[in-house]
Amino acid sequence: MDGNGRWATQRGRPRLFGHRAGAKRVREVVESCPDVGVEYLTIFAFSTENWRRTQTEVAGLMSLFRMYISREARALDEFGARVRFIGDRVKLDAKLVKLMDDLEVLTQENTSVHLTIALNYGGRDEVARATKRLAQDVATGNLKPEDVDEETLPKYLDTCVLPDPDLVIRTSGEARISNFLLWQSAYAEYEFIDTLWPDFTKEEFARLCASYGGRDRRFGGVKT
Ligand code: IPE
Ligand code: MG
């Protein structure tokens, strides 16, 4: 969800104004998922690198996340979204973590769309945390080193219960991955679009999903 800051700057407003406008776009996109055939949606809300921003912006974002979860919990649940969070919760404040845990529990039986919110998430950080736990299992004898392979490692990732992404959409004209789902996106299709996140609509989402449907995915093989 990139481009909130520039969207606000273009309007002569503080960056947090853009973050608030960005947060308001989420519901429409989530609720359009069943119509466009998306069962799993993952949104990148805050990266492990975003702590480098000013204290004002970081504090504003954290308070926005708390407000967003408190305000949207009911609508998300009524819509039938099953919400999960990925990322390292250790650095997040206890009040926010409680809201995240409660929303996961509240929505755990829901099935209309699986919404994953990446919060204090970084692909490298995730792989490092996974490797640490994997190493602990080896040290305690629960896992044999010779059993570590491409199937084993992802079981330790935050995304262990989620399928790999088919399509990754990056808004705001930047053509980089910025540490998002590094392991999981090995064969993802990418869309880099100029739209700033607060201007992203369900119509554009539908168009990108339809265009994805026309792509020829071979996963390194040859079409037969
Ligand atoms: C939102 O967009 C992403 C978040 C970290 C919340 P940005 O804040 O990165 O917006 P730009 O890139 O400065 O426009
Ligand atoms: Mg940005």
Side-chain angles (χ1 to χ4, degrees):
M1 300 189 287
D2 198 15
N4 294 346
R6 276 162 286 169
W7 187 90
T9 304
Q10 283 172 3
R11 284 157 182 77
R13 304 294 300 267
R15 295 178 57 82
L16 268 166
F17 179 72
H19 294 314
R20 281 196 289 271
K24 284 192 196 127
R25 297 310 310 150
V26 174
R27 193 195 292 187
E28 177 181 300
V29 176
V30 171
E31 294 189 351
S32 74
C33 282
D35 304 330
V36 292
V38 170
E39 291 174 48
Y40 290 83
L41 176 73
T42 302
I43 56 175
F44 203 174
F46 192 86
S47 79
T48 46
E49 288 70 41
N50 286 148
W51 298 102
R52 294 179 192 149
R53 298 186 175 199
T54 64
Q55 205 263 329
T56 313
E57 184 168 353
V58 170
L61 280 166
M62 292 301 151
S63 119
L64 179 63
F65 297 143
R66 285 196 301 270
M67 254 158 47
Y68 176 83
I69 298 173
S70 326
R71 281 196 197 152
E72 292 293 306
R74 206 160 119 199
L76 286 166
D77 185 43
E78 277 171 8
F79 180 71
R82 171 155 191 189
V83 186
R84 297 180 177 89
F85 291 89
I86 56 170
D88 189 1
R89 298 181 193 205
V90 169
K91 261 181 105 173
L92 300 174
D93 84 57
K95 250 195 250 160
L96 175 57
V97 174
K98 169 92 168 67
L99 289 164
M100 291 158 64
D101 289 339
D102 289 351
L103 184 56
E104 286 186 334
V105 172
L106 175 72
T107 62
Q108 65 188 347
E109 308 290 334
N110 293 346
T111 54
S112 31
V113 62
H114 294 259
L115 171 66
T116 302
I117 304 176
L119 219 170
N120 194 26
Y121 175 85
R124 287 183 172 181
D125 177 69
E126 179 191 34
V127 172
R129 284 185 289 106
T131 308
K132 190 183 287 179
R133 289 197 293 118
L134 187 149
Q136 280 158 356
D137 275 355
V138 170
T140 54
N142 287 328
L143 180 68
K144 294 201 216 80
E146 56 270 29
D147 289 340
V148 177
D149 59 18
E150 280 189 33
E151 312 291 316
T152 321
L153 195 140
K155 294 194 179 118
Y156 291 83
L157 296 173
D158 297 349
T159 52
C160 57
V161 298
L162 303 172
D164 285 343
D166 294 310
L167 172 64
V168 177
I169 301 170
R170 169 92 191 227
T171 55
S172 91
E174 314 285 6
R176 53 175 175 262
I177 304 170
S178 299
N179 214 359
F180 186 60
L181 299 177
L182 294 181
W183 170 282
Q184 299 87 339
S185 296
Y187 275 96
E189 301 286 331
Y190 281 87
E191 285 281 2
F192 297 100
I193 57 167
D194 288 333
T195 310
L196 302 175
W197 173 256
D199 292 327
F200 191 76
T201 59
K202 64 173 195 276
E203 286 76 21
E204 186 161 27
F205 187 47
R207 188 178 59 72
L208 294 168
C209 293
S211 143
Y212 163 82
R215 290 190 186 204
D216 178 19
R217 302 182 79 199
R218 294 182 297 278
F219 301 93
V222 176
K223 201 174 186 187
T224 49

